[in-house]
Amino acid sequence: DVKVTQSSRYLVKRTGEKVFLECVQDMDHENMFWYRQDPGLGLRLIYFSYDVKMKEKGDIPEGYSVSREKKERFSLILESASTNQTSMYLCASSSLTGDSPLHFGNGTRLTVT
Amino acid sequence: TQLLEQSPQFLSIQEGENLTVYCNSSSVFSSLQWYRQEPGEGPVLLVTVVTGGEVKKLKRLTFQFGDARKDSSLHITAAQPGDTGLYLCAGESGGYNKLIFGAGTRLAVHP
């Protein structure tokens, strides 16, 4: 069974802290994505990567960075956490084939106080 | 900017009722995907529609892609409590299977 694993289900951090969200997939997928999900706003793309060490900004990259040193791992970094980054963060992966579905992890609920 | 608008935002119905969820855009999409998300889990793909006018059935769920490939609908017949969840439509934007999502329809089916 395909699997996308996010390292933490819940995180509580203080304003100004540096936060790392980790995601690992076991499907040898080329594409990996970070979305945030907020009520009434749906899923919004933060960053995505189509290959190792390659990254592209999504729709809301401000305040975030990413790292992809290995194909299976995609990390989201909040350089200095702020309260408006309190959200559910979802990692996903897909193959390069057109119309391939996204496989999601179960999410990390981050609270910044 | 491509946008997908879903309606209704919330739906609360009794078991056995029928319902339709809509996903509309002013933009043309090469395909649309429908996902369902249950509490505490990530979204899971239900179906992909590719051809304008296409209809796909998944048991009691019927998905339709508009002729102009700008809109889609999801119809559930005789809803059951197990259908409860958040339904999301998504369209590819800019290659690499990069999806934009609608805000979702939260469905509650009561026994």
Side-chain angles (χ1 to χ4, degrees), chain A residues 37-43, chain B residues 4-9 23 37 86-89 100-106:
Chain A
Q37 183 175 27
D38 301 288
L41 296 178
L43 278 70
Chain B
L4 282 169
E5 295 185 358
Q6 280 189 246
S7 61
Q9 191 174 359
C23 176
Q37 184 179 20
L86 179 67
Y87 290 81
L88 297 156
C89 67
I100 62 167
F101 284 82
T105 294
R106 190 165 295 282

Side-chain angles (χ1 to χ4, degrees), chain A residues 9 31 35 37 95 97 99 102, chain B residues 31 35 37 40 96-97 99:
Chain A
R9 291 300 298 267
N31 298 333
Y35 286 88
Q37 183 175 27
S95 73
T97 309
D99 297 328
L102 267 58
Chain B
S31 65
Y35 290 79
Q37 184 179 20
Y96 299 110
N97 290 330
L99 298 180

